[in-house]
Amino acid sequence: MLKIKAFPRIHITLIGMNREGYRINGGIGFSIASPTLNMRFEPDGEIYVLDKRSQGFSKNELFRLNNHLNKLMKDEHLAEGFRCVIEESQIYSHYGFGTSTMVYLSCIEALLIKNKREYTNNDVVKLSGRGGTSGIGISTYFKGGFVFDTGVTNNTDRDLAPSSCFKGDDYRKPLIFKNISLPGWEMGICIPPIQNKTENEEKAFFDKSCPIGKVAVENILYESVYGISSSLLENDFNTFCKSVDSIQGTKWKSLERDLYGDELKVVESLIRKAGAKCVGLSSLGPLLYFFGEDIDGVVDRVNTDLIGGKCYKTSFNNSGRILEYD
């Protein structure tokens, strides 16, 4: 039996969500050490995926995943399938963890391993069709660390849409501009008592919100380069925290935050009052991440006052998925 332990990613922000520049899409984000997504793959002649998470894939999402894997078996002439079990965990779908990317990459890598196929990381990514909008999750899956990707060249009528929309001929892998190891900072994540957005709601959000203005993109890019990336390279905790907070006020992140209105502000205020130095929304959320001088204390105080949600201490992760064999 094959087991794959994958590490979630925090997506700080998308960048080029317009068509006025050299490139479109792109973003920044990083891998975290816990909680993890644990998957078991048992030999089988066919493909079957069982999601045991309390907040996992919808029936339609599982149907599409199984179809994708069965089509891959046929196209690549693979004989061995598997029974995959996604174990219960706090890695919820559509919360900002990058779950779909982890699951697709894990399943495809397992399928290639089971069939004794030689492969590269790029082979797995291409066969998955993931990472069409942002290259954060497809990079952290294999390497961990911090990722700055600059999207794709602006030379097609490509939609500004979530990664789940790009399949087949529409798919182009984003350019990974920088992938670096992270300092040993502790951090916290908070799963707030806020209803997450469905896949259809995410698509509707992109349709409504894109494109944003050129100046807005430049503001995001400034924080991404001069703020987040530079502070991580120089181990500058204070500048990093300032930049995380500044990004929350940029155009794209503001639009994402507005999806949750005052509910998000209430939880964020609670985390700040507990002692957090900065708080950010991962992707479309509602997952919040935060940094501070006393993460244990912040987590304890938030968990005491937060009704219906949960906070955890974690840290940066500088390694890729773990493969284990029984």
Side-chain angles (χ1 to χ4, degrees), residues 205-224:
F205 168 76
F206 273 76
D207 289 341
K208 179 181 178 181
S209 302
C210 298
I212 61 174
K214 184 174 184 289
V215 172
V217 172
E218 291 169 349
N219 290 339
I220 301 169
L221 192 57
Y222 177 86
E223 293 296 338
S224 298

Side-chain angles (χ1 to χ4, degrees), residues 17-281:
M17 305 310 292
N18 70 13
R19 297 186 174 282
E20 297 180 55
Y22 306 118
R23 309 185 69 81
I24 58 175
N25 299 333
I28 52 173
F30 55 84
S31 178
I32 60 174
S34 61
T36 57
L37 186 71
N38 305 307
M39 306 176 67
R40 304 196 315 269
F41 299 90
E42 301 171 355
D44 202 303
E46 299 179 352
I47 295 286
Y48 179 71
V49 179
L50 175 63
D51 191 349
K52 288 190 173 182
R53 292 173 297 156
S54 59
Q55 298 189 54
F57 286 137
S58 67
K59 290 183 179 180
N60 184 51
E61 288 168 330
L62 277 174
F63 178 77
R64 290 208 318 270
L65 172 62
N66 278 282
N67 277 355
H68 185 95
L69 296 172
N70 278 296
K71 183 178 186 301
L72 177 60
M73 282 190 69
K74 180 180 179 181
D75 292 346
E76 297 294 321
H77 307 290
L78 304 176
E80 298 295 326
F82 55 63
R83 181 180 185 271
C84 167
V85 177
I86 306 173
E87 297 178 355
E88 175 62 77
S89 77
Q90 299 298 315
I91 307 286
Y92 300 150
S93 288
H94 303 293
Y95 264 77
F97 286 109
T99 309
S100 292
T101 296
M102 287 189 285
V103 170
Y104 271 78
L105 293 175
S106 295
C107 285
I108 288 169
E109 188 166 24
L111 195 56
L112 295 174
I113 290 171
K114 291 286 187 184
N115 285 274
K116 297 180 173 57
R117 286 288 183 91
E118 292 186 0
Y119 64 91
T120 65
N121 295 350
N122 283 337
D123 291 334
V124 177
V125 171
K126 184 176 180 181
L127 292 171
S128 75
R130 298 299 303 180
T133 303
S134 171
I136 309 302
I138 59 174
S139 183
T140 58
Y141 174 80
F142 293 106
K143 298 179 179 180
F146 168 78
V147 179
F148 181 0
D149 88 80
T150 56
V152 297
T153 54
N154 184 20
N155 58 8
T156 69
D157 292 330
R158 176 191 181 93
D159 289 334
L160 294 165
S163 292
S164 58
C165 294
F166 298 109
K167 302 293 180 185
D169 294 337
D170 291 331
Y171 177 78
R172 284 191 292 160
K173 184 182 176 183
L175 175 64
I176 304 301
F177 187 73
K178 199 72 174 175
N179 187 188
I180 63 173
S181 291
L182 290 157
W185 303 342
E186 292 182 336
M187 59 176 290
I189 59 171
C190 178
I191 301 174
I194 299 174
Q195 180 62 49
N196 66 311
K197 302 303 176 184
T198 65
E199 187 177 56
N200 286 336
E201 287 175 317
E202 290 176 359
K203 292 176 182 177
F205 168 76
F206 273 76
D207 289 341
K208 179 181 178 181
S209 302
C210 298
I212 61 174
K214 184 174 184 289
V215 172
V217 172
E218 291 169 349
N219 290 339
I220 301 169
L221 192 57
Y222 177 86
E223 293 296 338
S224 298
V225 178
Y226 276 57
I228 300 295
S229 300
S230 298
S231 63
L232 288 172
L233 284 166
E234 294 186 334
N235 199 14
D236 183 349
F237 183 71
N238 289 332
T239 299
F240 176 83
C241 288
K242 289 178 183 177
S243 188
V244 166
D245 278 345
S246 293
I247 284 171
Q248 306 314 302
T250 57
K251 181 63 176 179
W252 184 257
K253 186 55 64 176
S254 293
L255 290 169
E256 291 179 329
R257 291 169 60 89
D258 286 347
L259 286 170
Y260 303 101
D262 289 339
E263 282 187 295
L264 187 72
K265 294 177 182 177
V266 169
V267 179
E268 182 182 49
S269 177
L270 186 67
I271 296 171
R272 291 186 186 277
K273 287 179 180 178
K277 194 176 181 68
C278 66
V279 184
L281 177 72

Side-chain angles (χ1 to χ4, degrees), residues 2-5 109 113 119 141 320-325:
L2 170 65
K3 296 180 180 179
I4 297 182
K5 177 187 290 186
E109 188 166 24
I113 290 171
Y119 64 91
Y141 174 80
R321 81 285 183 245
I322 297 173
L323 308 178
E324 297 178 344
Y325 299 89

